């Protein structure tokens, strides 16, 4: 006796369902992260129907439907990814790019920036919770790219320059110039304040300012600062990768990290295959030139979110280009951001703002020629 098995598209539930004698025995979710692409987040088969090859039927059906509709596929579900691995005739459907985010133009002091994190619908990549592409701009001592004293808590700031100079000063007593190729890493913990001042430098200026959310284990701890003048580099054939944080292949940054993450600046000319960790989610941020990922062209100030599960990424840079690869284990703790603070709830963030505006010792002391910032009112109802 053969049972009747069929796969149907339950469009209102955004999933394919496998029916056995009319009963739903399993399903495969689908969503549309961008035009021309379908993502398969998860596959489920009810225990009572396990071992009958129903998940494979769902996957084959969904992939055939994607092909017939001319769609590319993001196999976020590990089962779907593994199934495609065993059926290479479907591998051409896979795209590494889940979505592309255009950076939002903003102004930081005198400097124009493009903010690619956080954006609506994309708050985090691993523990990376903020990313500004600074400039490029021409600066001089009268138009220096500095920012006056302002506080942080619950995050680490990562400063990386492509061109120009800055002077970092903070309430720990640090006074540290930074130049291209060097890393400034300030961990805020419960509270710190800093200023980024001009050095008298005149010329082209460009950089990135990144924040990393701290986990509960360290976010109430002491502040700290590190400067790294030298960072490990990896030869990628068609260029090099400089490891700011974490490990990339066998190159390991000496910088502190509080969670499993990675940040790599890529300088490429040609095609490079980047090694990825399947347990990390990743994003690629365009900095200079045109960077191509499987037909998706990424310009400066754009972010391509790549999801998790892949073990390799092919990047093509026809001329010369620079990009930033950010990745990490998806951050499991809730993250709430307000102004320069990262926390877990509104009360905590409101208290940080109150303490800063009251001149509380929590954020230490710092004199600077630049004006001190005032925390704005919280954007939620009191
Ligand atoms: Mn800052």
């Amino acid at each position: 006796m053969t049972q009747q098995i069929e796969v149907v598209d339950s469009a209102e539930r955004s999933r394919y369902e496998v029916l056995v004698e009319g009963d739903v025995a399993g399903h495969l979710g689908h969503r549309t992260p961008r035009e021309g692409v379908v993502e398969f987040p998860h596959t489920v088969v009810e225990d009572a129907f396990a071992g009958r090859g129903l998940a494979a039927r769902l996957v084959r059906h969904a992939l055939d439907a994607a092909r017939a509709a001319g769609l590319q596929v993001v196999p976020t579900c590990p089962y779907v990814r593994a199934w495609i691995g065993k059926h290479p005739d479907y591998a051409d459907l896979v795209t590494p790019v889940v979505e592309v985010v255009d950076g939002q133009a903003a102004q930081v002091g005198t400097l124009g920036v493009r903010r690619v994190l956080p954006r609506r619908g994309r708050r985090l990549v691993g523990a990376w919770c903020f990313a500004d592409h600074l400039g490029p701009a021409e600066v001089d001592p009268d138009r220096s790219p500095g920012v006056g004293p302002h506080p942080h808590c619950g995050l680490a700031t990562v400063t990386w320059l492509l061109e120009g100079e800055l002077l970092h000063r903070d309430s720990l007593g640090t006074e540290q110039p930074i130049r291209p190729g060097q890393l400034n890493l300030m961990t805020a913990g419960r509270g710190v304040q800093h200023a980024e001042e001009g050095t008298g430098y005149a010329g082209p200026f460009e950089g990135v300012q990144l924040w990393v959310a701290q986990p509960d284990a360290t976010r109430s701890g002491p502040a700290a600062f590190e400067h790294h003048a030298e960072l490990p580099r990896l030869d990628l054939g068609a260029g090099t990768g400089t490891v700011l944080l974490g490990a990339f292949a066998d190159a390991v940054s000496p910088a502190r990290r509080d969670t499993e993450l990675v940040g790599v600046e890529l300088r490429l000319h040609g095609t490079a295959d980047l090694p990825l960790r399947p347990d990390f989610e990743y994003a690629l941020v365009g900095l200079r030139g045109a960077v191509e990922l499987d037909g998706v062209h990424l310009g400066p100030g754009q972010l391509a979110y790549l999801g998790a599960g892949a073990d390799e990424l092919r990047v093509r840079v026809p001329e010369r280009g620079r990009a930033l690869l950010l990745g990490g284990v998806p951050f499991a703790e809730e993250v709430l951001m307000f102004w320069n603070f990262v926390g877990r709830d509104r009360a905590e963030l409101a208290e940080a703002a109150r303490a800063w505006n009251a001149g509380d010792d929590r954020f230490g002391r710092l004199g600077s020629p630049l004006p001190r910032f005032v925390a704005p009112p919280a954007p939620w109802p009191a």
Side-chain angles (χ1 to χ4, degrees):
M1 191 187 79
T2 50
Q3 287 185 309
Q4 196 194 336
I5 298 175
E6 60 175 337
V7 176
V8 298
D9 185 3
S10 174
E12 71 277 7
R13 304 186 77 171
S14 297
R15 65 190 204 180
Y16 291 101
E17 294 176 346
V18 60
L19 307 180
V20 176
E21 299 291 337
D23 292 327
V24 177
H27 53 89
L28 167 57
H30 58 78
R31 61 182 286 268
T32 305
R34 63 186 170 100
E35 200 178 337
V37 170
V38 59
E39 179 182 9
F40 298 121
H42 54 262
T43 309
V44 174
V45 170
E46 303 299 335
D47 288 346
F49 295 94
R52 301 195 199 177
L54 297 181
R57 274 181 83 141
L58 274 168
V59 172
R60 186 183 292 276
H61 182 98
L63 294 175
D64 287 341
R67 190 185 295 285
L71 300 175
Q72 287 187 294
V73 166
V74 174
T76 301
C77 169
Y79 178 80
V80 175
R81 190 177 288 273
W83 192 92
I84 294 170
K86 281 183 256 162
H87 300 81
D89 44 328
Y90 287 88
D92 63 299
L93 288 174
V94 174
T95 177
V97 181
V98 180
E99 61 196 347
V100 176
V101 175
D102 289 321
Q104 189 172 35
Q107 196 75 19
V108 174
T110 60
L111 201 65
V113 310
R114 275 172 291 203
R115 185 154 301 156
V116 293
L117 271 184
R119 299 302 314 277
R120 181 183 293 274
R122 178 56 48 204
R123 315 297 299 172
L124 291 164
V125 177
W128 298 99
C129 62
F130 180 96
D132 268 359
H133 179 206
L134 315 174
E138 284 293 320
V139 304
D140 59 52
D142 294 330
R143 278 181 58 84
S144 103
V147 286
H150 61 278
H152 289 294
C153 64
L155 62 94
T157 65
V158 175
T159 308
W160 175 257
L161 299 183
L162 284 73
E163 299 225 61
E165 293 179 2
L166 281 175
L167 175 66
H168 168 97
R169 299 207 302 125
D170 66 37
S171 52
L172 299 164
T174 310
E175 203 169 310
Q176 177 65 57
I178 181 171
R179 298 188 177 87
Q182 304 178 340
L183 178 74
N184 275 359
L185 173 68
M186 185 185 73
T187 303
R190 186 172 145 67
V192 73
Q193 62 172 303
H194 74 127
E196 303 294 331
E197 299 170 6
T199 59
Y201 167 89
F205 181 90
E206 185 178 5
V208 288
Q209 178 69 65
L210 307 159
W211 296 354
V212 181
Q214 287 184 257
D216 279 338
T218 63
R219 72 188 189 93
S220 303
F225 178 84
E226 293 176 14
H227 174 79
H228 296 278
E230 299 273 345
L231 291 166
R233 285 197 185 163
L234 194 69
D235 184 359
L236 297 168
T240 56
T242 305
V243 188
L244 281 58
L245 289 190
F248 187 60
D250 54 1
V252 184
S253 166
R256 164 178 172 165
R257 57 174 175 74
D258 293 7
T259 54
E260 281 288 306
L261 56 74
V262 71
V264 182
E265 192 214 45
L266 304 165
R267 298 184 190 191
L268 299 173
H269 48 87
T271 300
D273 290 315
L274 311 179
L276 303 184
R277 269 178 63 165
D279 59 329
F280 276 21
E281 60 177 344
Y282 288 92
L284 195 70
V285 181
L287 298 177
R288 279 189 188 173
V291 177
E292 193 207 299
L293 298 169
D294 192 39
V296 173
H297 295 266
L298 199 65
Q302 286 186 307
L303 177 148
Y305 178 68
L306 307 172
D311 58 12
E312 194 173 69
L313 176 68
R314 173 157 291 186
V315 182
R316 217 173 69 80
V317 178
E319 307 285 333
R320 302 184 84 80
R322 290 210 211 179
L324 196 62
L325 181 70
L326 303 177
V329 170
F331 199 70
E333 300 165 32
E334 175 146 11
V335 165
L336 209 58
M337 293 174 61
F338 163 52
W339 196 45
N340 290 304
F341 307 124
V342 170
R344 299 293 181 271
D345 60 52
R346 290 176 172 184
E348 185 189 309
L349 298 177
E351 169 52 23
R354 188 209 60 77
W356 169 253
N357 285 347
D360 197 293
D361 275 341
R362 172 175 169 181
F363 299 102
R365 300 281 159 212
L366 175 63
S368 169
L370 297 173
R372 181 184 193 272
F373 283 82
V374 175
W380 54 79

